[in-house]
Amino acid sequence: MRALIEKLEREHTLSAVEFTALIEGRNETAAELLFEKAVAQRQKYYGKDVYLRGLIEFTNYCKNDCYYCGIRRSNRHAQRYRLTKEDILDCCRMGYALGYRTFVLQGGEDPWYTPERIEDLVRSIKKEYSDCAVTLSVGEHSHAVYQSWFNAGADRYLLRHETADPNHYSSLHPEAMSLENRLRCLWDLKEIGYQVGCGFMVGSPGQNAEHLAKDLLFIRTLEPHMVGIGPFIPQKDTPFGKETAGTLELTLYLLAIIRLMLPEVLLPATTALGTIHPMGREKGILAGANVCMPNLSPTSVRKKYALYDNKICTGDEAAECVQCLCRRIERIGYKTAAGRGDHIRIERK
Ligand code: 5AD
Ligand code: FES
């Protein structure tokens, strides 16, 4: 294992067979070594800074029907909501006052939120908060639509690829969705000039080490600016409601591998990681993550954006979340960074 980890550190990649061996052969010693090397790389580029992004979950309507997701179209138990433009601008106002300089607009693929309406949102936010970055996370769209949002000022886009294996992809999604289109979107976004984030769930039903090796090799090829990974967590009203959750241990291991593959990547310690373990996000940072995305959505809708069960931070006011997170980050010897927190290779606009 040591030889594989040293090779990964040196060459920033491995073959599919080697990645599979690294994952299947993992043990505590290997994990410790990986974390140590991942933290050293992160230290080199970002020091002890952890970037905060204000997450605004602005609609839980979704036309898709992903088998794992609590806001899937077929979930009749989901209480649907949609924030208005004014609600969203209020979130930004509060977030700005709390020190956020990145707003992440995340939502289901909600047909009411047409490309024009989203474009208008982006323009309005960028007009009022020109020193902030806007990240969109609203699913699959055409090149032309992505271009129009970029022209309106959107800086970054998050679209997890979910799994890089076509068969595994089909087992997680209905036939109307394809890995091919998902990847087309990611390449379009990158070509347009967004800072792009892909990613996947750890421990999704049917996932094995070969699938994960493919995910890692896809990440190597795409070279995204951001990678979002978190454990799969069952949501009781979905077809995967009785499946087992992904583990903290494997998620941390993969975070460290991704840090070694892309030393400069922006890597969040996700809410899902904080949900499966009370210290999940802190452990994520200690394994190489350098971003946290606390919730800025109004408390009245927090519980409704339930992609999975028992999600944390659904009862707290935005200000409480920031304070709590800052304290957590400081307690482990890190500090929250002011500013937009762009990828190192991106020129500030
Ligand atoms: N458990 C963990 N993560 C999930 N996501 C969706 N449903 C779940 C779940 N049950 C993730 C997907 C999606 C992101 C917004 O949330 O990876 O891309
Ligand atoms: Fe939200 Fe702790 S980060 S309450």
Side-chain angles (χ1 to χ4, degrees), residues 14-319:
L14 294 173
S15 69
V17 170
E18 289 168 329
F19 271 133
T20 306
L22 184 61
I23 293 164
E24 282 180 340
R26 69 188 188 279
N27 55 38
E28 230 165 276
T29 323
E32 289 302 322
L33 184 63
L34 262 182
F35 297 161
E36 187 188 306
K37 292 187 182 301
V39 166
Q41 288 297 312
R42 196 262 326 273
Q43 177 69 30
K44 187 162 141 196
Y45 295 100
Y46 292 105
K48 291 272 186 278
D49 286 353
V50 175
Y51 299 100
L52 294 190
R53 319 304 194 189
L55 181 62
I56 304 171
E57 297 160 332
F58 70 100
T59 172
N60 73 349
Y61 284 86
C62 192
K63 67 179 167 69
N64 292 329
D65 220 12
C66 309
Y67 301 142
Y68 46 83
C69 184
I71 64 167
R72 63 198 300 267
R73 176 181 75 214
S74 301
N75 183 5
R76 300 269 163 262
H77 297 289
Q79 292 180 42
R80 305 291 169 173
Y81 74 90
R82 183 182 282 134
L83 299 184
T84 64
K85 179 180 170 183
E86 286 64 42
D87 294 334
I88 296 169
L89 287 168
D90 281 346
C91 288
C92 295
R93 197 162 305 125
M94 154 125 50
Y96 194 89
L98 291 170
Y100 291 106
R101 293 298 177 267
T102 292
F103 301 117
V104 182
L105 296 184
Q106 184 168 96
E109 291 189 23
D110 176 357
W112 187 88
Y113 262 111
T114 57
E116 293 73 27
R117 284 182 170 136
I118 291 180
E119 185 182 337
D120 175 57
L121 273 179
V122 173
R123 266 189 219 289
S124 307
I125 296 173
K126 291 295 285 198
K127 191 170 159 213
E128 210 171 322
Y129 305 100
S130 57
D131 56 337
C132 292
V134 169
T135 305
L136 290 175
S137 180
V138 290
E140 298 178 20
H141 295 273
S142 67
H143 186 285
V145 166
Y146 287 149
Q147 184 73 58
S148 71
W149 296 339
F150 187 75
N151 296 347
D155 302 273
R156 310 186 187 132
Y157 204 101
L158 303 176
L159 183 74
R160 291 190 177 176
H161 64 283
E162 310 297 358
T163 170
D165 180 273
N167 291 324
H168 189 223
Y169 193 92
S170 311
S171 73
L172 301 179
H173 303 92
E175 235 171 277
M177 292 177 77
S178 73
L179 178 59
E180 193 190 351
N181 195 52
R182 197 95 181 155
L183 302 186
R184 188 272 306 157
C185 289
L186 283 164
W187 288 110
D188 281 356
L189 289 160
K190 198 157 184 223
E191 184 262 323
I192 290 168
Y194 284 93
Q195 294 178 53
V196 173
C198 66
F200 56 91
M201 291 177 292
V202 177
S204 60
Q207 183 184 66
N208 60 35
E210 276 94 26
H211 295 145
L212 289 169
K214 279 194 186 177
D215 287 321
L216 296 172
L217 287 170
F218 169 67
I219 289 171
R220 180 73 262 162
T221 314
L222 181 68
E223 288 198 66
H225 306 85
M226 306 166 285
V227 177
I229 71 165
F232 159 75
I233 303 173
Q235 201 289 334
K236 60 181 176 0
D237 302 313
T238 63
F240 291 162
K242 295 209 156 38
E243 300 286 335
T244 37
T247 64
L248 172 77
E249 177 266 324
L250 182 53
T251 307
L252 297 176
Y253 197 76
L254 288 162
L255 281 171
I257 292 177
I258 293 166
R259 171 62 63 199
L260 289 182
M261 289 172 63
L262 300 170
E264 303 171 345
V265 79
L266 292 160
L267 193 61
T270 56
T271 306
L273 192 57
T275 297
I276 53 162
H277 189 283
M279 294 285 280
R281 287 169 300 175
E282 289 90 331
K283 286 174 186 285
I285 290 166
L286 296 171
N290 67 334
V291 173
C292 274
M293 300 169 62
N295 207 313
L296 260 186
S297 315
T299 35
S300 56
V301 304
R302 293 263 184 107
K303 280 196 174 40
K304 298 178 185 164
Y305 202 83
L307 306 183
Y308 47 82
D309 292 331
N310 306 317
K311 193 174 159 197
I312 54 167
C313 302
T314 55
D316 303 277
E317 294 294 342

Side-chain angles (χ1 to χ4, degrees), residues 281 294 313 316 320-322 324-325 328:
R281 287 169 300 175
C313 302
D316 303 277
E320 294 172 328
C321 259
V322 181
C324 158
L325 207 58
R328 283 168 176 267

